Amino acid sequence: KVEKSERELRQLANAMPQLVWIADSRGNVRYFNNRINEFKGATRKEDGSWTWEGTIHEEDLEGTKQAWANALKLETDFEREHRMRLTDGTFKWYLSRSYPQKNESGEVISWYGTSTYIHDQKMFEEVLEQKVIERTEELKVQKEFADTIVNTSVDLICVYDRDMRVIGFNKA
């Protein structure tokens, strides 16, 4: 029954679109589902554990290692967005999360984690951020133009709110 249950869990993990992993209590990854074949830089060591640092973009590596070390130290959930290297050499954004499994005494005995593809979402956010910056600049230019017209007019110009209260006027 145990072998059957283990086979079923591996099958389930391999059916998931995420990279699924399990680490021991010290944080050494001892299992990846078959999605690991989509990544470049993860290798199995002689003791059976995996190195994963080679999959993380060098600009994201130190922060990821620090966040992982902090989660291990505090025995708390791990969550980090970082770029991971695919087999074709490109980097894509992933959200990695891990949760500690504790025994009856409250000691961490394993970590269960996933890495989920979020690249399209991150690219959309970047485009949206750029559009906000551009629109803010356009509005700033329009406001400066309107202020120039109002403040250089020789006629009195009043600005009213919806309740017909004066909210501003020029110095004419």
Side-chain angles (χ1 to χ4, degrees):
K1 286 185 176 185
V2 170
E3 287 177 10
K4 181 180 183 230
S5 178
E6 189 173 307
R7 277 193 312 273
E8 288 174 347
L9 288 174
R10 286 185 191 275
Q11 187 68 20
L12 176 62
N14 287 330
M16 297 180 73
Q18 293 89 1
L19 175 64
V20 176
W21 46 278
I22 302 171
D24 64 21
S25 62
R26 294 173 298 155
N28 299 310
V29 177
R30 59 182 181 170
Y31 169 79
F32 279 118
N33 68 345
N34 64 6
R35 294 270 181 243
I36 194 62
N37 297 324
E38 299 171 11
F39 299 90
K40 185 176 184 176
T43 55
R44 188 183 288 270
K45 298 189 282 187
E46 285 184 26
D47 68 0
S49 65
W50 288 81
T51 60
W52 52 267
E53 289 90 349
T55 62
I56 308 293
H57 192 284
E58 68 178 38
E59 292 176 10
D60 304 328
L61 183 58
E62 194 55 40
T64 299
K65 288 169 72 173
Q66 287 176 359
W68 181 234
N70 191 50
L72 292 171
K73 180 181 174 185
L74 299 175
E75 298 182 341
T76 186
D77 300 349
F78 165 78
E79 185 172 306
R80 181 79 177 173
E81 292 180 0
H82 48 211
R83 291 163 288 180
M84 297 177 70
R85 185 191 330 257
L86 301 178
T87 54
D88 65 3
T90 62
F91 285 92
K92 303 291 182 183
W93 283 98
Y94 282 79
L95 170 62
S96 293
R97 291 181 170 147
S98 184
Y99 303 95
Q101 178 189 18
K102 298 182 180 182
N103 63 17
E104 301 80 33
S105 303
E107 300 166 319
V108 173
I109 55 174
S110 292
W111 293 84
Y112 293 89
T114 60
S115 296
T116 304
Y117 181 86
I118 60 166
H119 188 78
D120 294 340
Q121 176 185 334
K122 290 288 280 187
M123 295 301 98
F124 178 75
E125 287 172 4
E126 284 182 20
V127 168
L128 192 58
E129 249 179 64
Q130 185 59 39
K131 289 193 179 293
V132 167
I133 289 168
E134 290 170 4
R135 183 65 181 140
T136 301
E137 186 59 33
E138 289 172 6
L139 291 171
K140 181 181 170 186
V141 168
Q142 289 175 2
K143 182 183 180 322
E144 289 171 356
F145 179 71
D147 287 348
T148 300
I149 291 172
V150 168
N151 292 326
T152 58
S153 175
V154 293
D155 295 322
L156 176 64
I157 299 175
C158 292
V159 180
Y160 298 91
D161 66 11
R162 291 183 182 179
D163 296 323
M164 297 305 295
R165 293 181 295 218
V166 174
I167 59 172
F169 54 88
N170 66 347
K171 299 175 184 172

